[in-house]
Amino acid sequence: MDLRSFVRTVADSEVVDWTPILRPTLRHRFVPRTNPKGEEIGLAADQHSLHLTFLKDIRITMAYGMVENANYQVPSPNRFASENARTHLLDCFWEGRLAFRDIIINVGRNRCLLPLPEEWTETGMEIPVLRYGLARLIHELAGPPTIFDEYFSMSGMQRVNRRWP
């Protein structure tokens, strides 16, 4: 299976195709902790908050929730610019190995998970269909109970048929 087929399989799946993986998953990230002087004082362990197995092919697993940027600034004049946002990692695994990683942005004071656009613009940010599908899936699996498509269009994003990844 090539990368595009792998991503298409995940993006085209449904919520009912996934089941949670119980912890521990032993997929931690260790981040240096520093004091106010900038001196390293230890390590902090971080991990994804959600781990899933694809029921149609258990070689495919997914993890979501590890914070990439806790204080992401959405540029103005986007309607979500004044509200706090953060980015999270979405990791897709093939037979336990990281095969693909994307970044998802949590906007609107935790009201929606959206794909992170390559560039924020005032007029229509183009999001490839597969990337839209991945973000929509993770919103439905792990996001708040809001309507993804409403927030997607409110943000100024538009689906386009463009090759990705």
Side-chain angles (χ1 to χ4, degrees), residues 33-107:
R33 291 181 33 215
T34 57
N35 63 18
K37 296 177 185 176
E39 301 166 332
E40 191 172 310
I41 58 172
L43 291 174
D46 192 10
Q47 66 178 325
H48 289 287
S49 56
L50 179 65
H51 300 268
L52 302 154
T53 299
F54 188 50
L55 294 172
K56 294 181 178 180
D57 186 346
I58 62 169
R59 295 174 296 180
I60 300 173
T61 57
M62 197 168 39
Y64 169 77
M66 195 178 302
V67 174
E68 194 255 348
N69 184 343
N71 190 25
Y72 185 86
Q73 299 297 314
V74 176
S76 56
N78 189 285
R79 73 180 300 145
F80 299 117
S82 63
E83 300 178 3
N84 60 339
R86 62 178 41 193
T87 57
H88 297 270
L89 299 176
L90 171 62
D91 291 337
C92 300
F93 300 89
W94 172 260
E95 295 180 347
R97 294 179 303 263
L98 182 62
F100 182 76
R101 173 175 275 177
D102 198 15
I103 298 174
I104 303 293
I105 184 167
N106 187 335
V107 297

Side-chain angles (χ1 to χ4, degrees), residues 126-147:
E126 296 181 345
I127 305 296
V129 172
L130 284 180
R131 194 162 196 202
Y132 164 87
L134 276 177
R136 189 169 201 266
L137 175 67
I138 203 63
H139 173 81
E140 291 175 359
L141 286 165
T146 56
I147 299 171

